[in-house]
């Protein structure tokens, strides 16, 4: 059984939980070469999902295009609606989720962003992730109309409705095709492929585990802090394959369990912002950054030792080939 490892990075501005249309520095991109050197040691080809502040910044373009032109990464799209023109909506927490905007405005923003990436990087992106996981049928129809073939926005076992977003608690944990009108439903004839980030439990029956977790989160049971007790006892362990939310050993254990349960791929996800200490809630210091990178390397080392194949996300479309990255203009596309 061949297992593929995708690395999907939300590549964005330095600001965290700040919704500004302008003044969005991208200093964290200066740390990307350090991160890329880590990937290069393992032959890993990450997919940098870039948003408007990154796509339109000359420094960021120079860094990413150099890596892309060397064939060492893939570039996809990531949209923060509040800093993607046109700016027609009121900037608010609710409107930071694309799924809460009118479909016509979603299409205007995505068309501008898509064109900027094509123009500045000389490629046509095939992969997409919605900012703040704000994905729904309106966004799906938009990316489908622009020619995207892969989405990686649906985080299984996660309900974003408390933050004004969608409910993905019943999302699939494996890749599946879907029709843009029904993003949560598998459809073998669908024009889009969903490749969810790897999120799940160490335990086998994820649906039952999620139901129990939800019950224990609610009062009065939440007062007993049973979730923490069950986690420490190894009876109910919910983890993301992300160095922002899990340690290296936790990611390796989750990966092992996913493969044991029959998964054919792993999708490691995080934000470029975490590469600049103090700019995300996950990495506060250079010491934290060293740990963050060590955790990533632990997963990469495990995957390499198991003989897993490191692939750009678009390889999920074409039999997981690691040789051809779709999207280069002027190269038969």
């Amino acid at each position: 059984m061949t297992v593929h490892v995708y690395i999907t990075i939300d590549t964005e501005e330095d600001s965290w939980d700040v919704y500004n249309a302008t003044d969005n520095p991208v200093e964290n991109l200066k740390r990307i070469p350090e991160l890329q050197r880590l990937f290069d040691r393992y032959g890993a080809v990450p997919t940098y999902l870039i948003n408007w502040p990154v796509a339109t910044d000359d420094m960021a373009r120079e860094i990413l295009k150099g890596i892309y032109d060397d064939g060492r990464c893939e570039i996809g799209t990531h949209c923060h609606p509040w800093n993607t023109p046109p700016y027609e909506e009121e900037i608010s927490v609710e409107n930071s989720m694309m799924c809460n905007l009118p479909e016509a405005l979603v299409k205007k923003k995505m068309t501008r962003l898509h064109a900027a990436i094509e123009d500045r990087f000389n490629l046509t992106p095939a992969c997409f992730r919605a900012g703040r996981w704000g994905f729904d049928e309106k966004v799906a129809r938009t990316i489908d109309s622009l020619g995207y073939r892969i989405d990686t926005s649906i985080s299984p076992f996660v309900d974003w409705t408390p933050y004004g977003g969608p409910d993905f608690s019943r999302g699939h944990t494996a890749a599946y095709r879907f029709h843009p009108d029904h993003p949560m439903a598998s459809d073998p004839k669908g024009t889009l492929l969903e490749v969810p980030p790897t999120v799940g439990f160490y335990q086998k029956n994820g649906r039952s585990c999620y139901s129990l977790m939800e019950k224990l989160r609610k009062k009065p049971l939440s007062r007993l802090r049973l979730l923490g007790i069950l986690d420490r006892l190894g009876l109910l362990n919910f983890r993301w394959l992300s160095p922002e939310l899990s340690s290296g050993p936790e990611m390796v254990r989750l990966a092992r369990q996913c493969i044991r349960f029959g998964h054919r791929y792993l999708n490691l996800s995080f934000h470029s912002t975490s590469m600049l200490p103090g700019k995300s809630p996950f990495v506060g210091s250079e010491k934290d950054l060293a740990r963050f990178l060590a955790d990533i390397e632990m997963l990469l080392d495990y995957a390499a030792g198991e003989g897993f194949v490191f692939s750009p996300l678009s390889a999920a479309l074409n039999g997981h080939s690691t040789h051809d990255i779709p999207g280069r203009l002027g190269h038969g596309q």
Side-chain angles (χ1 to χ4, degrees):
M1 178 186 75
T2 301
V3 175
H4 295 265
V5 180
Y6 308 122
I7 302 167
T8 52
I9 303 168
D10 294 358
T11 309
E12 56 191 46
E13 69 276 5
D14 302 336
S15 308
W16 191 274
D17 278 344
V18 177
Y19 307 116
N20 292 328
T22 58
D23 189 24
N24 289 288
V26 292
E27 291 296 302
N28 72 84
L29 268 290
K30 293 179 180 178
R31 307 299 290 263
I32 290 296
E34 178 183 0
L35 177 65
Q36 185 64 44
R37 285 192 291 272
L38 172 57
F39 296 143
D40 291 344
R41 290 203 295 272
Y42 290 88
V45 182
T47 299
Y48 294 106
L49 302 160
I50 68 175
N51 72 350
W52 180 268
V54 172
T56 57
D57 183 87
D58 290 339
M59 176 270 294
R61 175 188 178 276
E62 182 178 357
I63 291 170
L64 290 173
K65 195 169 189 308
I67 299 170
Y68 175 80
D69 287 346
D70 287 343
R72 295 151 56 210
C73 80
E74 174 174 49
I75 292 176
T77 303
H78 180 59
C79 188
H80 285 177
W82 62 89
N83 57 35
T84 304
Y87 310 114
E88 298 179 0
E89 77 280 20
E90 176 187 357
I91 293 181
S92 65
V93 173
E94 180 180 6
N95 287 338
S96 69
M97 297 274 190
M98 285 182 71
C99 56
N100 294 329
L101 298 179
E103 188 164 351
L105 182 54
V106 171
K107 188 158 189 177
K108 287 180 185 178
K109 288 177 180 288
M110 278 299 302
T111 300
R112 289 283 297 274
L113 176 55
H114 184 77
I117 295 173
E118 283 191 322
D119 179 61
R120 291 180 59 80
F121 289 85
N122 193 36
L123 62 89
T124 298
C127 306
F128 174 79
R129 177 178 288 148
R132 306 197 68 227
W133 313 97
F135 191 72
D136 71 348
E137 62 276 7
K138 297 193 299 291
V139 183
R141 285 191 290 265
T142 296
I143 65 171
D144 183 59
S145 71
L146 290 170
Y148 288 85
R149 299 277 65 92
I150 295 181
D151 176 70
T152 180
S153 303
I154 297 180
S155 45
F157 304 119
V158 183
D159 179 4
W160 297 106
T161 55
Y163 305 93
D167 181 3
F168 296 146
S169 60
R170 300 194 65 80
H172 299 281
T173 57
Y176 63 96
R177 288 202 165 273
F178 68 94
H179 189 281
D181 290 336
H182 305 286
M184 297 282 286
S186 176
D187 180 351
K189 296 182 180 179
T191 53
L192 288 166
L193 177 69
E194 180 64 33
V195 183
T198 299
V199 183
F201 295 83
Y202 295 163
Q203 292 71 33
K204 187 171 184 179
N205 193 331
R207 296 294 167 204
S208 297
C209 289
Y210 178 78
S211 296
L212 176 59
M213 184 172 71
E214 283 299 279
K215 290 177 182 177
L216 297 179
R217 280 175 172 168
K218 296 175 181 177
K219 294 180 180 178
L221 291 176
S222 62
R223 298 192 183 100
L224 301 177
R225 300 181 180 178
L226 294 175
L227 277 177
I229 295 171
L230 292 176
D231 186 84
R232 288 190 294 273
L233 291 174
L235 299 175
L236 186 67
N237 307 97
F238 178 65
R239 297 290 187 274
W240 285 66
L241 198 72
S242 171
E244 295 172 338
L245 298 168
S246 303
S247 68
E250 288 172 336
M251 288 195 293
V252 169
R253 183 174 178 188
L254 177 61
R256 282 199 178 109
Q257 294 297 83
C258 286
I259 302 310
R260 180 184 171 195
F261 300 152
H263 288 248
R264 298 296 183 265
Y265 78 88
L266 301 170
N267 186 354
L268 174 71
S269 61
F270 58 95
H271 301 80
S272 67
T273 317
S274 290
M275 287 298 297
L276 189 60
K279 296 301 182 180
S280 84
F282 312 110
V283 177
S285 65
E286 290 292 337
K287 183 177 179 180
D288 290 340
L289 179 60
R291 172 203 51 77
F292 181 83
L293 293 172
D295 286 340
I296 294 173
E297 183 160 19
M298 185 177 293
L299 180 71
L300 297 179
D301 191 64
Y302 158 74
E306 293 293 318
F308 299 165
V309 178
F310 295 107
S311 305
L313 185 60
S314 63
L317 289 171
N318 56 10
H320 304 289
S321 168
T322 58
H323 301 295
D324 298 313
I325 300 176
R328 295 180 188 274
L329 295 179
H331 290 265
Q333 298 299 320

